[in-house]
Amino acid sequence: MLPLSSRESARRRLLDALRREGPLARVEIGQHLGMSPATVSELTASLIDEGILMAEDSADQSPGLMRGRPKTRLYFAETLGSVVGVWTGFNRIELRLVDSAGRTRASRHVERRLRNLEAEELMDVLAQTIATFAEESGARDVKAVGLACQGYVDTRDGIVAWSPVLGTRDLPLASGLSQRLGKPVLMENDASAMAFAIAQRNADLRSGRTACLMVGDGVGLGFLIQGELYRGARFGGSEFGHVRLRRSGPQCRCGGRGCIEAYLADYALHRDAQLIDHRPAPTLLLPSEEAMSDIVGQARAGDPALLNLFHAAGEVLGDAVGILIQTLEPDHIVICGPGTRAMDLLRPSFESALESQTIPELRALATIHVVESSMDLLTEGVVMQALRDLDLDLARLKAA
Amino acid sequence: MLPLSSRESARRRLLDALRREGPLARVEIGQHLGMSPATVSELTASLIDEGILMAEDSADQSPGLMRGRPKTRLYFAETLGSVVGVWTGFNRIELRLVDSAGRTRASRHVERRLRNLEAEELMDVLAQTIATFAEESGARDVKAVGLACQGYVDTRDGIVAWSPVLGTRDLPLASGLSQRLGKPVLMENDASAMAFAIAQRNADLRSGRTACLMVGDGVGLGFLIQGELYRGARFGGSEFGHVRLRRSGPQCRCGGRGCIEAYLADYALHRDAQLIDHRPAPTLLLPSEEAMSDIVGQARAGDPALLNLFHAAGEVLGDAVGILIQTLEPDHIVICGPGTRAMDLLRPSFESALESQTIPELRALATIHVVESSMDLLTEGVVMQALRDLDLDLARLKAA
DNA sequence: TTTGTTTTATTCGTACTGTGAATAAACTAC
DNA sequence: GTAGTTTATTCACAGTACGAATAAAACAAA
C-alpha cells in the first residue's frame, strides 16, 4: 500500500524474477533486471542471510561442457512455508497450495454454493474448506491465505462490499477467515488476480498499460501499469462487468439491466439459450462447462437463434473494449477467461463494434491478446500477490 | 516521459510548490513538501546557482512584529523568460503569456476558425497569431509554446491524429509550429490541460486519483494520479467524449452516433435547441456564450422541450460518470468547463442515472466537484506543463 | 602438473542523495 | 548589551548503487 523504498522495490523485483523464471544465477538476475553485479551480490547476500534464498550446491551442476566458473543458482528456501490461494465462484471453490518459490504443490476444486449462507456460516464453511484442503495436501506450514472473488473487494481492509456470489453485503471476510484460520488472509478482486497471473507469464504485458478483461462466470477488469495492479480509491480493480451499455437490456445479477455481464457472462448466455427453447429460465448459477460447450457447439453448427446471442454478446464485448481503449489507452488488451471458448463466434460482431467506436489511430495502439485461461489460473495470481506481501513483511520484520 | 530520478522529482516538486504558492522561505518549502531543512538548503542552493531561483532581499521585509531570524523568500528569476499557452477551439483561439513564476502577463482570445484550412496554411495562421500576440504583449523572451486542443493529441511527438477543430489528420503540429516560431512547442489534449490547471488550484485533487470531465465545446477527460497526468499508450488523455453511450443517438462531430459529446457539448445542445424551433440546423460551430445562456434561460423558465434536452444530457452525464467510477474508481470526480453553467438543469437526471448505475459503496468513494471554469483556464494548464518541461531541460543541460 | 583462459562472484573505493544534530546567522524583546 | 527565537547552513553519517579491481572456480592446453 505505502510506496516501497528503493531497496524494497529492488528486492521485490529480484524475488519476482526468481518466482517467474525459477532458480537463477546472480549474473542472470543482473541481466534480467538491469542491475550491476555488485548490487545483485549485495541484495542476495542479505536475502540468503535472512533465510529467504539459498545458493545451489556447486556439486549438482549441469553437463560439463561449459567454460569458466560455473553459475551457482539461487532458489527459495523450502522452510519459508506455503500459501493457499482460493477463488470462490458462484457454485465452485478453487483451491491451490503453492510453496514460497511459486510452485503449485496441490490444487482442487470443491462444488459448493455460498450465496444461500449467513455471514457466520459462510465464513465457517470457507475456513473449513481451506483447512481441510491444506491438511489433506500435507501442508503444515501455511503462512497465509489469498482469497479472490467477484465483486467489490476492498483489498486493504479485506471487506467484500458486494459480490454476486455472496449473500451478504459489507462482509469483513478477511478478518473473519483470519480469526478462524489463525493466518493472515489477503483479498483480491478476481479479475485483478487473473490479470496479474497472466502478466506473470508474458513479459510484454508487464510493460506499459495492460487492461485485462476476464469473461466467464461474470465479466471483470484487471488493469496493470508497468506490471503492477492499478488500485482504485478503495476496491482493487473495478466491477467493469456492471457498466450498463444498453439502457433496457437483459436482466443482470446486480439488479440492473443491460450490464456488460448480462450479455457476456456464462450464466447470461446459458439463460438466454434456455429461453430460446422455451425451457424454464434456470437460476443464475454458473452453468457447467459441458452445458456451455453444448451451446457453443450448437451455435457453431449454425443454430440461428444462438448465433444471434453470440452476435449480440460480441457487439457488447466490442463496445466494452472500445470504452477501455478510449478511456485508458492501454498498450495491451487481454481477453481471457472461459468465455474465450466462443471467441470465434464473438469475433465478427466484436470487431465491427470496436471499429465503429474508435478511430483507427487509437485502435492501432492496443494489441489485443486472447488468452484461453480457466478460472484456476486465478488462484495463481492471488497466491503470487500474497507471497509478495509476505516477502515485504519479512523484510520489514528484519528491519525493525 | 522517461522516469525522473529521485533528485529531479524533488526538484520538480519544489518548483511546483513555488509556482503554486508564490515566493516561499526555505522552511516553508520543507513544511509543504516534507523535506528536511538540510535537503531544501541543498536543492535551493543549486537552483540559485543555476539562475533559476533568486533569494529575496532581506531589506524588503514585511512588518517588524515577528521574532527570530526573518525568512528569506525564494522566487523565480525574471530572466528565465516566459511561455505562451494556446488553446485552439472550434472558432476561437485563446492565448496566454505567463512568466517563469507562473504569473499571467497577458491574455487574449482571437475569433478564428481553423477547420477550413489546409495543413500548411493552418500552421502559418497559428504561428502568426502566436507571434503577433507575443509581440503585442511585449514579450521578448518567449522560451516555449504550449498548445492544447481537443482530439487525439500525441504529446510525445506533437502530432494531432484527429481533432474536430482541425481539418486534417495526423498533423505534425508541434514540429510545424516549432519550425515557424523557432521555439519548442509542447502539445497537450485540452481536457488534460484543464485537469492539471484545476488540480494546481486545489490540493485535495492532487492526492489520489482525480477524473476530470470537461464539458463545453466538446467533452474530454483528464485523469490525474497523485497530481500527475495519466498518460496512455500514445495520446495524453482520452477522447472520452466519443465513447458511444446510445447505439442510435444523435449525430456526433466524429462521424458516429450517440457519443457522450453528441448530447452534452455546447454545439449539440445548441443544434438540438434550434431543431425544436424548426429552424435550420446550424453548422457545428461553437455557439456563443450568449446563445447558450439564452437556451439555459429558456429552459429554466420552463420550456418543456428544452428541459427534455437537458434531462437527456444529464442522464448521459450520469452514465458517463458512472462508467468512470466503475472503471477507474477515482477519489475525486471533477465536472468542469462551460457546460457547468447548466448544472442545475442537468442535476436531477444526472443523479438518478448515476444512482441506477453504481452501488452505494462505490458511489460514496468519489467526491463529485463541480468547478465552473471557462476555457481560458485551459491555457494555464498547458503553460504549467511547459514550464515544468523547461525546468527539467535546464537541469539536464547543466548536468551534461 | 602447471599455466593460461573464461566466466562468475565479491570486494573496494567512490559518488550521490537525504537526514539529524550542531552551528551560525539574523533578527526582536527587554 | 544580552537573552530569546526563528531561519539557514554545515557537517558527519547512513543507505544505496555502481565501475573497476580482485578473487574464485571451473576447463583447456602445454
Side-chain angles (χ1 to χ4, degrees), chain A residues 340-351:
Chain A
T340 54
R341 70 169 90 74
M343 204 56 211
D344 57 327
L345 296 170
L346 301 172
R347 190 146 244 153
S349 55
F350 163 70
E351 286 184 348

Side-chain angles (χ1 to χ4, degrees), chain B residues 327-366:
Chain B
T327 312
L328 300 169
E329 254 182 49
D331 303 76
H332 306 279
I333 302 237
V334 177
I335 300 172
C336 63
T340 54
R341 70 169 90 75
M343 202 59 209
D344 57 326
L345 296 170
L346 301 172
R347 191 148 243 152
S349 56
F350 163 69
E351 285 183 350
S352 68
L354 181 55
E355 260 177 56
S356 78
Q357 170 128 198
T358 51
I359 68 165
E361 285 89 345
L362 194 57
R363 217 155 52 237
L365 286 182

Side-chain angles (χ1 to χ4, degrees), chain A residues 152 170 209 230-231 233-235 237-238 242 244 246-247 315 319 326 328-329 356-357 359 361, chain B residues 152 170 209 230-231 233-235 237-238 242 244 246-247 319 326 328-329 356-357 359 361:
Chain A
Y152 296 101
D170 297 308
R209 291 139 291 263
Y230 169 83
R231 300 289 183 187
R234 183 174 165 206
F235 307 115
S238 58
H242 298 292
R244 184 182 55 194
R246 307 279 184 268
R247 293 192 62 77
E315 211 166 61
D319 282 356
Q326 285 186 306
L328 300 169
E329 254 182 49
S356 78
Q357 170 129 198
I359 67 165
E361 284 89 346
Chain B
Y152 295 100
D170 296 309
R209 290 138 291 262
Y230 168 85
R231 299 289 183 185
R234 182 173 166 206
F235 306 114
S238 58
H242 298 292
R244 184 182 55 196
R246 308 281 185 263
R247 292 192 65 76
D319 281 357
Q326 285 187 305
L328 300 169
E329 254 182 49
S356 78
Q357 170 128 198
I359 68 165
E361 285 89 345

